[in-house]
Amino acid sequence: MPPIATNHHQQPTRNTYYSNAMHLRSSARIVDTLTRGLSQSGVGDVSDNFLIFFGCVLGTILLLQLALAAVVFKYRESSNLKLHQPHVLLAYVIIAAFATGSCILLVPFNDISCMLQDFFLMLPITFMGNILVARSWRVNILMTPALGIGRDDETSGAKRRRAIKQRVLNCLTAIVTMKLSLKRRVGSEGRGGGRRSSISTKRNSLRQEVTLRQLVFLTVALSMPQLVVQMCKLCIPSLRSELAEDDMYSYCEESRGGQAMQRLGYALSIIPLFILMLLSMYSGGLPLLKMYARSVQIAALFVLIVAFISIPAIAFAMSVETMVYLQSCIILTFTAGTCWLVVVQKLVPVWKEKKREVSMFQVTKKGRTRGHGAQGEAMFSH
């Protein structure tokens, strides 16, 4: 009896311990498999709190840029905004929003995010910089001859800056006139004559015209080297980035050829900033050129300062989160900062004009209301 009962209860207890041990081993294997999968995808190196914070920051900036694009589209027919080509500003804000959203690729999720990282970040940034270069070229082409820049009573330093700026303008104009000369050559062969170029090469000519098509052609022509580099890096397997693991964290690994193409892409994305600095180094005392040059200089210098501060910190970063945060700071400084300095400042006069119209409408409405009230009192008195 009692011994039999004891022996009867001891056998199920051993089986239970054995089954529990097997369940624990299988659970440990599942957890180990999931941990390896997360570490291979790179997410295991980034905390959930950082992903939530990073996503909220990118989402907020992205929504603000989309709202800015909607405002530009709404006031595109305004007389103040037409002077600054609202379609170009709208394209600029949309490309900036695309680059902002692409910052999520800085987190090394897997091989696909590493492969698409440079293509979806460097190419939009280069397009944005070249749009600013093309707009600066247009403003200088239109304003410089008409307002008589190049006086003889300037100092030697001003003359040197003006000469450097003129050489840069001539190079950019040669890119546009190259297309026009090809079209004239084709037209002369087909119709026996060609249309005269709308861009005059004479410095003192007052008949200047820069069309939207010429502005788009210059932007695309300046961005073609970056497009070729990123397409080669994306299509050639030996140049693609791949996810790699280290003792400390996961990162996107580049081959020797991929590193060379990546550095070339970085250089091509920085070149538009230096061209903007050269175009804004001389304004000739003109208020419009001085204001435009000041906004461009502030934007370019701010981006370069943030880049020079962040790049050494990225080199000595000890975690993926730090690297992602510093890289995104450089990109968001350019995408958000230039949108504020280039686009929002153009909308301020539009908003002031609309506010003035609303105030005048309210004053007129109050005057009409008072007039009708006085007429009613006069009729009641009679």
Side-chain angles (χ1 to χ4, degrees):
M1 305 107 86
I4 295 173
T6 305
N7 292 333
H8 177 74
H9 288 288
Q10 285 176 354
Q11 187 67 26
T13 305
R14 292 176 182 177
N15 293 334
T16 305
Y17 286 154
Y18 180 75
S19 61
N20 290 335
M22 294 299 294
H23 283 300
L24 288 174
R25 288 183 180 180
S26 61
S27 301
R29 289 176 182 176
I30 294 174
V31 172
D32 187 33
T33 303
L34 292 175
T35 305
R36 288 181 180 179
L38 289 175
S39 63
Q40 289 176 358
S41 64
V43 184
D45 298 325
V46 181
S47 63
D48 294 337
N49 294 330
F50 177 79
L51 287 177
I52 294 173
F53 167 75
F54 190 60
C56 291
V57 171
L58 293 183
T60 303
I61 298 176
L62 182 61
L63 290 177
L64 290 175
Q65 289 175 338
L66 293 178
L68 181 61
V71 172
V72 174
F73 182 78
K74 179 181 179 180
Y75 296 112
R76 66 187 185 279
E77 298 297 332
S78 176
S79 58
N80 291 326
L81 201 59
K82 280 185 176 180
L83 298 175
H84 305 286
Q85 294 184 318
H87 296 90
V88 178
L89 297 178
L90 181 62
Y92 185 84
V93 176
I94 292 175
I95 295 174
F98 180 80
T100 300
S102 300
C103 286
I104 195 65
L105 295 175
L106 293 173
V107 180
F109 291 104
N110 46 35
D111 292 336
I112 297 177
S113 63
C114 292
M115 182 177 61
L116 299 177
Q117 187 180 108
D118 290 342
F119 185 85
F120 285 104
L121 287 175
M122 292 296 102
L123 196 59
I125 290 174
T126 305
F127 267 105
M128 291 175 63
N130 289 326
I131 287 175
L132 295 179
V133 171
R135 292 187 70 250
S136 181
W137 167 79
R138 173 182 174 270
V139 170
N140 284 278
I141 286 293
L142 294 178
M143 299 297 297
T144 301
L147 298 180
I149 289 183
R151 299 185 299 269
D152 296 332
D153 56 348
E154 294 176 337
T155 61
S156 58
K159 290 181 179 179
R160 192 181 302 109
R161 292 194 300 270
R162 177 167 55 88
I164 295 173
K165 179 178 179 178
Q166 189 63 40
R167 290 178 183 177
V168 176
L169 288 175
N170 292 337
C171 293
L172 297 176
T173 305
I175 296 175
V176 179
T177 55
M178 175 180 63
K179 175 188 175 184
L180 297 175
S181 61
L182 290 175
K183 291 179 66 175
R184 288 199 304 269
R185 185 177 300 177
V186 173
S188 62
E189 291 178 357
R191 298 187 300 270
R195 188 176 62 180
R196 187 177 180 182
S197 172
S198 59
I199 301 178
S200 176
T201 57
K202 296 181 180 180
R203 182 181 303 178
N204 296 326
S205 177
L206 298 180
R207 299 183 60 183
Q208 301 287 339
E209 180 184 358
V210 179
T211 63
L212 180 61
R213 184 176 299 178
Q214 294 169 352
L215 199 68
V216 172
F217 176 78
L218 180 60
T219 303
V220 174
L222 293 175
S223 303
M224 282 303 295
Q226 183 70 273
L227 179 61
V228 172
V229 169
Q230 297 304 326
M231 287 299 295
C232 292
K233 194 172 183 297
L234 186 64
C235 297
I236 300 176
S238 60
L239 300 178
R240 294 175 183 172
S241 302
E242 296 180 354
L243 187 68
E245 294 184 6
D246 199 354
D247 296 335
M248 300 176 59
Y249 50 80
S250 301
Y251 60 95
C252 294
E253 185 179 15
E254 301 278 354
S255 61
R256 184 172 298 179
Q259 289 180 357
M261 298 295 284
Q262 188 180 43
R263 292 171 184 174
L264 181 59
Y266 290 160
L268 291 175
S269 62
I270 295 175
I271 286 176
L273 296 179
F274 289 103
I275 297 177
L276 285 172
M277 296 294 290
L278 292 176
L279 291 177
S280 61
M281 64 187 304
Y282 178 83
S283 60
L286 302 178
L288 181 60
L289 289 180
K290 188 179 294 185
M291 180 182 65
Y292 188 83
R294 184 180 179 183
S295 62
V296 169
Q297 286 177 354
I298 293 174
L301 286 175
F302 192 53
V303 172
L304 291 176
I305 289 172
V306 173
F308 287 146
I309 294 175
S310 301
I311 288 175
I314 292 173
F316 297 102
M318 303 299 292
S319 64
V320 179
E321 299 171 353
T322 306
M323 293 180 62
V324 172
Y325 182 75
L326 293 175
Q327 290 174 356
S328 61
C329 283
I330 298 174
I331 297 173
L332 295 178
T333 300
F334 183 74
T335 57
T338 55
C339 282
W340 174 265
L341 293 171
V342 175
V343 182
V344 176
Q345 287 188 353
K346 305 297 185 300
L347 291 172
V348 172
V350 178
W351 290 331
K352 290 182 178 180
E353 181 182 1
K354 293 298 179 181
K355 186 177 180 180
R356 191 181 303 110
E357 290 178 358
V358 170
S359 61
M360 291 178 62
F361 176 76
Q362 292 177 352
V363 171
T364 305
K365 187 177 180 179
K366 289 181 180 179
R368 290 178 180 177
T369 304
R370 292 176 181 176
H372 288 301
Q375 291 179 1
E377 292 178 359
M379 292 177 62
F380 183 77
S381 62
H382 288 297

